[in-house]
Amino acid sequence: MTDLQKWKLLQSKMVLAHDWCKVRQDEIELPNGRIIDDYFVNIKPEIALILPITSSKEIIFVRQYRHAVGEFFIELPAGSFDATKESAEAAAARELQEETGYIAQELTKIATLYDKPSKDTNKIHLFLAENVIKSGEQKLDITEEIEVLLIPVESVREKILQGEICVAGTVAAICLGLNFL
């Protein structure tokens, strides 16, 4: 193994501090001595992402519009949270109920992943929710318009291969989570 070194942080300043978007500009020194004065980092909240499975072996997905790409996507329920105010497990249970109207009888942590650690600060906490049941109606945020889909577990692999399910966190949770069953 080589002697890799961390980058040295020389200065840091917040260049955008909006409720919906925070960006930090770092001045760094690379191990080779080069100085980079405009390395931008997105400060993002943590994410709880849930793989909810019913007792009849259907996965509960949400279908919603994603403005950055301008398309509709089939994803697993997920949402951001402030880790200083709420645990990842509590956020997962809350997001599942808010986005789908379902609750989990069992909630198991699968993994904690980083989506894009080169530019983003957040972690994605993946959970398996087993024996989920319908408990009420969705409680959506102002920016959410969500269709709930129940897809049999045996159909999901083909939907991934065909590109119908193509969001990275969702695919990772499915691949990891189905190994827990």
Side-chain angles (χ1 to χ4, degrees), residues 7 18 42 44-45 47 83 102-103 117 119 157 175-176 180:
W7 296 358
H18 187 276
N42 300 307
K44 292 185 171 184
I47 302 291
Y102 283 78
I103 59 171
K119 292 288 183 178
R157 182 178 186 273
C175 291
L176 291 170
F180 279 69

Side-chain angles (χ1 to χ4, degrees), residues 77-138:
S80 61
F81 69 99
D82 181 342
T84 65
K85 298 178 181 174
E86 183 177 31
S87 71
E89 185 171 340
R94 176 182 51 75
E95 286 292 338
L96 175 62
Q97 197 285 321
E98 288 176 359
E99 291 191 357
T100 68
Y102 283 78
I103 59 171
Q105 300 298 305
E106 303 169 47
L107 195 61
T108 306
K109 182 118 182 213
I110 300 170
T112 299
L113 306 176
Y114 289 89
D115 185 32
K116 197 167 79 172
S118 62
K119 292 288 183 178
D120 297 345
T121 60
N122 66 317
K123 296 176 186 174
I124 302 173
H125 304 272
L126 307 180
F127 289 89
L128 173 64
E130 296 181 83
N131 301 313
V132 297
I133 57 171
K134 183 81 168 156
S135 69
E137 300 302 313
Q138 295 169 299

Side-chain angles (χ1 to χ4, degrees), residues 13-113:
K13 66 180 176 181
M14 198 64 84
V15 293
L16 180 59
H18 187 276
D19 287 345
W20 292 94
C21 182
K22 293 177 176 51
V23 179
R24 186 182 76 215
Q25 181 180 1
D26 291 347
E27 180 180 354
I28 54 173
E29 182 180 343
L30 301 176
N32 64 13
R34 286 194 59 192
I35 304 292
I36 307 291
D37 64 1
D38 59 353
Y39 195 91
F40 294 94
V41 176
N42 300 307
I43 310 299
K44 292 185 171 184
E46 303 213 3
I47 302 291
L49 190 146
I50 310 95
L51 172 60
I53 302 177
T54 66
S55 59
S56 57
K57 301 300 180 211
E58 294 175 303
I59 298 177
I60 298 171
F61 288 93
V62 295
R63 183 175 175 269
Q64 60 189 321
Y65 177 75
R66 294 304 196 182
H67 183 69
V69 180
E71 297 291 338
F72 287 89
F73 289 92
I74 297 173
E75 305 172 79
L76 292 173
S80 61
F81 69 99
D82 181 342
T84 65
K85 298 178 181 174
E86 183 177 31
S87 71
E89 185 171 340
R94 176 182 51 75
E95 286 292 338
L96 175 62
Q97 197 285 321
E98 288 176 359
E99 291 191 357
T100 68
Y102 283 78
I103 59 171
Q105 300 298 305
E106 303 169 47
L107 195 61
T108 306
K109 182 118 182 213
I110 300 170
T112 299
L113 306 176

